[in-house]
Amino acid sequence: GAVVSQHPSWVICKSGTSVKIECRSLDFQATTMFWYRQFPKQSLMLMATSNEGSKATYEQGVEKDKFLINHASLTLSTLTVTSAHPEDSSFYICSALTSSGRTYNEQFFGPGTRLTVL
Amino acid sequence: SQQGEEDPQALSIQEGENATMNCSYKTSINNLQWYRQNSGRGLVHLILIRSNEREKHSGRLRVTLDTSKKSSSLLITASRAADTASYFCATGGGTSYGKLTFGQGTILTVHP
């Protein structure tokens, strides 16, 4: 099956710093990737849709200037949390969309990145 | 926003028993998917059922979909301790190609 990786798997940073999280599709090309945030014991909340070669589309309530998304290639999307604060501490998960006929609309998820802001 | 609601929120059973989780949604869909998440890990895709399908099987998993009631169920038969995880339904389709909306999830604990 398709494999999606994330790096780093966990990061601890000081308040006010910026953190970049990478999401890579390892064995397929993904024109569309998604970024989710998950708080403890809660479900996944979609933050934004990342499209290769164009600007990301953000969900309502998500600050685009705080969560910068760059989808520079068909296999890589990055999420940068700028000026991170403790309330940004969360589990960030990306997914990549594969549109093969057999697995219509199926997303493959990365293993997630645990961000802790001190 | 989360349109899916799942029940129960938590389910505790003994190994060998069956586990049934339900999911309801509000808007029209093209498909509904079930995912599994082990604690602190990413999601694993379990099964996708299209809006024109009523039932689908995969190994010990059985998924049903009732579009008239806007609901779906996931049945895990002969559960194992390794099935302990959170299970989420996710709906996709309509005008939002590729986007998934997740339910609140069911935390399943299977006791050996």
Side-chain angles (χ1 to χ4, degrees), chain A residues 2-117:
Chain A
V3 179
V4 176
S5 70
Q6 278 184 244
H7 177 80
S9 55
W10 60 270
V11 57
I12 301 173
C13 69
K14 293 182 179 180
S15 186
T17 60
S18 294
V19 175
K20 179 185 285 188
I21 303 170
E22 293 184 349
C23 176
R24 292 181 186 274
S25 56
L26 297 185
D27 50 3
F28 68 100
Q29 293 183 333
T31 56
T32 302
M33 293 183 175
F34 300 93
W35 287 96
Y36 297 85
R37 179 167 53 183
Q38 184 181 32
F39 292 108
K41 298 190 184 302
Q42 294 189 23
S43 188
L44 280 73
M45 294 289 292
L46 179 65
M47 298 175 66
T49 302
S50 172
N51 297 299
E52 188 267 337
S54 64
K55 292 183 178 181
T57 304
Y58 291 82
E59 295 300 301
Q60 192 172 12
V62 178
E63 300 175 57
K64 62 180 182 180
D65 294 330
K66 181 168 184 61
F67 299 99
L68 301 179
I69 292 173
N70 186 350
H71 195 150
S73 77
L74 288 172
T75 59
L76 173 64
S77 175
T78 60
L79 168 68
T80 301
V81 183
T82 62
S83 187
H85 292 283
E87 57 266 29
D88 298 323
S89 298
S90 187
F91 193 54
Y92 291 87
I93 304 176
C94 73
S95 70
L97 182 67
T98 173
S99 56
S100 67
R102 186 171 62 87
T103 54
Y104 168 73
N105 205 28
E106 184 175 352
Q107 293 183 29
F108 290 92
F109 285 79
T113 297
R114 174 78 57 194
L115 170 64
T116 302
V117 184

Side-chain angles (χ1 to χ4, degrees), chain B residues 2 13 17 35 39 44 55 59-60 73 78 87 90-91 101 108:
Chain B
Q2 298 292 312
I13 60 174
E17 294 179 342
Y35 289 85
S39 181
V44 174
E55 187 171 312
R60 293 185 295 113
S73 69
Y87 292 82
T91 54
T101 301
L108 173 65

Side-chain angles (χ1 to χ4, degrees), chain B:
Chain B
S1 62
Q2 298 292 312
Q3 74 156 335
E5 295 185 2
E6 293 180 63
D7 75 273
Q9 292 186 346
L11 180 61
S12 182
I13 60 174
Q14 294 295 127
E15 211 167 27
E17 294 179 342
N18 295 342
T20 300
M21 290 159 270
N22 302 296
C23 166
S24 62
Y25 56 93
K26 298 177 182 176
T27 62
S28 63
I29 62 171
N30 288 349
N31 60 74
L32 185 144
Q33 303 180 50
W34 285 90
Y35 289 85
R36 163 197 168 122
Q37 183 182 35
N38 286 64
S39 181
R41 308 291 290 275
L43 272 70
V44 174
H45 183 264
L46 295 177
I47 198 165
L48 179 151
I49 186 166
R50 300 188 186 191
S51 59
N52 61 353
E53 298 176 311
R54 291 296 167 261
E55 187 171 312
K56 205 163 184 179
H57 297 255
S58 177
R60 293 185 295 113
L61 306 180
R62 172 176 169 255
V63 169
T64 63
L65 178 63
D66 188 334
T67 53
S68 66
K69 296 181 180 178
K70 291 187 168 59
S71 67
S72 174
S73 69
L74 170 67
L75 168 67
I76 303 175
T77 60
S79 64
R80 306 165 182 168
D83 294 329
T84 295
S86 293
Y87 292 82
F88 296 93
C89 69
T91 54
T95 58
S96 302
Y97 175 73
K99 290 175 66 172
L100 293 177
T101 301
F102 282 84
Q104 296 304 309
T106 295
I107 300 172
L108 173 65
T109 303
V110 181
H111 299 280

